[in-house]
Amino acid sequence: MSSHSIRVNILGRPYPLRAQPEHVVATEKTAAELDRRLRTFKEAHPEQSELTGAIITALHLLGENAALRKRVKTIEGDYEELFDELTTSLDDLEAQLREAQPRPADEAA
């Protein structure tokens, strides 16, 4: 699959990028979000350079990413634990149903 050329604007500067067709919209949205965050930083700290703003914003984004990854890992662990509990419950129920079924010797009596 060939990539598409797209152009995004960040802090008023155009950046040509290439993206797979299925990632074009997400890439444009990501660039717009980055632009928004950089502008927010610049408005709050006009004395800081764009490079400083980019680094601080990148650090903030990486922190958010790490927190989200940790949360996903916790959720995955919760689902694994729940799945194990359900599997054990189903195994117990299956064993109880087998025990409750009449056995051939019981039927003859």
Side-chain angles (χ1 to χ4, degrees):
M1 194 175 282
S2 65
S3 59
H4 287 234
S5 293
I6 62 172
R7 185 175 299 270
V8 298
N9 286 299
I10 298 174
L11 294 178
R13 291 191 189 101
Y15 291 90
L17 302 174
R18 297 193 65 74
Q20 295 300 322
E22 65 272 16
H23 298 142
V24 169
V25 172
T27 300
E28 290 171 341
K29 286 181 180 181
T30 300
E33 177 62 13
L34 177 59
D35 181 63
R36 185 190 68 75
R37 288 181 184 230
L38 289 169
R39 287 179 187 284
T40 299
F41 180 86
K42 189 70 174 162
E43 288 171 9
H45 306 282
E47 74 284 358
Q48 297 295 326
S49 70
E50 285 184 6
L51 178 59
T52 298
I55 290 170
I56 299 296
T57 300
L59 289 171
H60 183 75
L61 289 169
L62 287 170
E64 286 180 5
N65 184 293
L68 288 171
R69 285 179 182 268
K70 183 178 179 180
R71 181 69 183 128
V72 165
K73 205 168 214 174
T74 299
I75 290 169
E76 286 174 346
D78 292 346
Y79 278 116
E80 285 177 17
E81 186 177 320
L82 180 59
F83 180 78
D84 290 343
E85 289 174 13
L86 287 171
T87 300
T88 300
S89 294
L90 287 172
D91 289 344
D92 292 346
L93 181 59
E94 184 179 35
Q96 290 172 7
L97 289 172
R98 273 197 308 268
E99 288 175 12
Q101 289 180 349
R103 298 170 196 232
D106 294 340
E107 292 174 8

